[in-house]
Amino acid sequence: MRPVPLRVPGRVFTAVATGGGGAEALELLARAEYSRRLACAHAVTEAARDIGGRVADTAGQAWELLAAAHRADPREVSAVLTHPSAGTALIGLLARLDRVVEGEAEAGAAGGLPVHRFSALAAAAAVRAGVSARVRWSLTADRVFLPSLGGARFPGACPDDVAEVVVGADGAARIGVAGRSSVPGPVDVPEAPYASEPTGRWQSAHRLLVLDTGAPLLLDDVDPLRFPGVPEQPLGLAADDLRWWEATTREACDTLRSHHPGTYAELAAGPRTLVPLDSTGSFSGSSAEAFGSMALSRPRTGRGLALSMTHELQHSKFAAVLHLFDLFEPGGEERYYAPWRPDPRPLLGLFHGAYAHLGVTDFWNRHRAVEQDPEELARAEAQFVRWRTGAREATEVLLASGRLTPLGQHFAGTMLNTLDGLCRLPVPAEARRRGLALAAEHRAEWVRRNGVPEALLI
């Protein structure tokens, strides 16, 4: 069980740099993320061994179970390790282990390391692969949860009670709390854990729909590590909220399938997870360590959700590319104007945003070709002008920064060529005026907010 070397064909790298790449690119990037997660799991095991004691024993047992599951069914282990929360768990755990190994953490910190997250990943792999096992770890809350599958609450369970996952010789699995008669009994792990509505005590992500490739599109409001920075407790969507998400997601996917086939192919290339946020307004985000997921406030319209998914897919692709290639030199204290942000951004943030807004520009370009409502068409035209202008401006700054590697120069140069083509497309004069005015308004507000004279803007 070891990471597999990957070769990225030049044509695929260039296709991604144009803002696209399609299913082929997304499948390749997903394989790369799997290899990275596998390497991270091995690094967790090695770092725990350096610490020794109970931490080393727990991590070593998890690694051996993961290896056994991989021998039985590599595809199921891949499904666990590529699940978004696996990245959050492994990277977070490795960072804390490294701090102890390097002596940067306080004395006694090893006792509080969340090695149980590795145990839960290994247990999930055993369940999915049908490997007979009994896995135990100390609880930190009243839930037992298996990443990529689901879990259940055990009211009355306390921290340091023992979670137990048992997989029988027949492959049937149960989760529970060991040795506590005062809490509810074990729960069977369903063979098909994802349902449109929860049943019984089992909690899992909701399957919103199945994409054309057969991959599910999930809505996850229960996994404790579903997205960095969100509360570990379940969000607890009401039935009406869930129906809204189902209808809006179906509309968004129909929009992408009909009018943005390249983006839809990327979405459908593998399982995707939407993480609902308990927030007002319109917000979306992605994480480099949670490949395959995107966090979103409740979408107002299907078209708005389609745009948000387009935006976050771009961020996910770019983050995965950065895990494979150095596109710019590290360091540097420069902060740049970004036409989509109120604050100065470092080069990494500027590069990420420019690439994401290349996708946004293409979205509005395609949308204006099919919009029938005159007011909405005018808005689409203006948004197209605004974002092609902003993305092109930011990409020029990237190329002039002096910090791009040769690969980064090629990537950003390809972005610029694509944007040049989009900038040559005709737009009605009034829409062009409005789009440029929106861009100018943003820049003026940025200068007012940050107190940077126009002459010093890079």
Side-chain angles (χ1 to χ4, degrees), residues 141-143 145 152-153 203 220-224 226 231-237 276 278:
D142 64 354
R143 286 202 297 161
F145 203 89
R153 287 190 65 237
Q203 297 177 313
D220 193 345
D221 66 331
V222 294
D223 190 326
R226 56 195 178 274
E232 291 193 6
Q233 64 267 27
L235 182 58
L237 287 176
D278 186 14

Side-chain angles (χ1 to χ4, degrees), residues 77-101:
V77 173
S78 176
V80 173
L81 289 183
T82 56
H83 193 72
S85 66
T88 306
L90 288 170
I91 296 297
L93 174 57
L94 182 59
R96 294 180 65 173
L97 288 166
D98 283 345
R99 287 186 62 210
V100 174
V101 170

Side-chain angles (χ1 to χ4, degrees), residues 237-424:
L237 287 176
D240 287 347
D241 289 327
L242 182 56
R243 283 191 287 271
W244 175 271
W245 276 97
E246 288 174 340
T248 308
T249 302
R250 191 174 298 109
E251 181 185 347
C253 287
D254 287 345
T255 295
L256 293 176
R257 184 191 295 108
S258 299
H259 306 307
H260 310 270
T263 302
Y264 181 79
E266 293 176 357
L267 181 74
R272 294 285 178 266
T273 301
L274 308 183
V275 176
L277 298 175
D278 186 14
S279 62
T280 58
S282 178
F283 175 83
S284 68
S286 56
S287 166
E289 305 308 342
F291 181 82
S293 73
M294 52 190 80
L296 308 123
S297 53
R298 174 169 159 159
R300 295 172 181 160
T301 65
R303 187 189 65 187
L305 179 56
L307 176 59
S308 293
M309 290 196 292
T310 298
H311 186 153
E312 299 309 332
L313 271 171
Q314 292 293 99
H315 279 301
S316 291
K317 284 190 294 182
F318 192 70
V321 167
L322 290 180
H323 286 160
L324 293 172
F325 303 106
D326 293 324
L327 299 186
F328 55 90
E329 301 293 341
E333 300 299 322
E334 302 93 344
R335 293 295 182 269
Y336 301 94
Y337 168 68
W340 46 86
R341 293 278 301 205
D343 53 336
R345 301 295 288 160
L347 191 73
L348 171 61
L350 189 70
F351 214 154
H352 248 295
Y355 186 72
H357 283 86
L358 169 57
V360 168
T361 301
D362 184 66
F363 179 93
W364 286 114
N365 182 42
R366 292 177 180 274
H367 183 68
R368 70 194 184 110
V370 298
E371 181 59 65
Q372 300 297 315
D373 180 86
E375 289 188 8
E376 287 299 316
L377 175 58
R379 177 172 178 265
E381 298 275 18
Q383 290 295 311
F384 173 59
V385 170
R386 179 186 181 183
W387 295 122
R388 75 179 183 181
T389 302
R392 189 186 187 285
E393 177 184 352
T395 303
E396 284 189 309
V397 171
L398 292 169
L399 287 163
S401 68
R403 288 180 52 201
L404 301 190
T405 64
L407 271 180
Q409 287 281 344
H410 173 73
F411 197 96
T414 303
M415 288 172 56
L416 186 63
N417 289 338
T418 304
L419 287 161
D420 282 343
L422 292 167
C423 286
R424 287 192 291 267

Side-chain angles (χ1 to χ4, degrees), residues 163-175:
E164 183 176 68
V165 178
V166 179
V167 187
D170 60 353
R174 308 187 85 191
I175 62 172

